[in-house]
Amino acid sequence: MTDTVNGYLSADHDRLDRLLAEASERLRAGDVAVAAQVLAEFAGGLRRHIRLEDELLFPTFDRVTGMNGGPTAVMRQEHRAIERHLELMVAAVDRHDLGAYADEKLAMLDVLGDHNDKEEAIVYPMTDAGLPEGERAALVASLRAFR
Ligand SMILES: [Fe+2]
């Protein structure tokens, strides 16, 4: 039973973690051009991940739990903070400012770490549990197809 919201989105978190680690590693090695490419892939992937949660996942979570925006309102605010730090990370690498990159990365991870943990422990499993199997499979297919 691999076609779950938790399975798909947790794997995407892991994929994004690996891209960020590689970008930082390339930067440490002084390979700024490749670091910028990998960081752009990370940024695009993270922005997509955030949008598919805002547009598809959170409305479904609100509906199946009947919580009507309480927890997801907080998650959406955290998304805005993550996006701001991400933008500043990309700008820092563009001007080869490794100190600013490190500061913004730390600030982003400060939000992102707990945020992803809450999603994997609460939001994704509760969404999976609240959906009949057919609807869950349809949602996962929509997440996969999201661009
Ligand atoms: Fe999120």
Side-chain angles (χ1 to χ4, degrees), residues 62-122:
D62 289 346
R63 179 170 61 82
V64 301
T65 62
M67 285 200 223
N68 279 318
T72 54
V74 177
M75 307 299 284
R76 286 176 192 277
Q77 284 170 11
E78 290 171 350
H79 280 173
R80 303 293 81 79
I82 292 163
E83 286 168 339
R84 274 196 303 280
H85 293 303
L86 181 61
E87 202 177 319
L88 293 169
M89 285 166 64
V90 172
V93 169
D94 279 348
R95 61 176 197 275
H96 294 207
D97 184 344
L98 303 196
Y101 171 81
D103 289 347
E104 289 302 330
K105 182 181 137 184
L106 213 61
M108 189 197 66
L109 290 178
D110 202 43
V111 183
L112 190 68
D114 289 348
H115 178 92
N116 287 357
D117 289 347
K118 275 186 290 187
E119 287 177 342
E120 293 181 19
I122 299 164

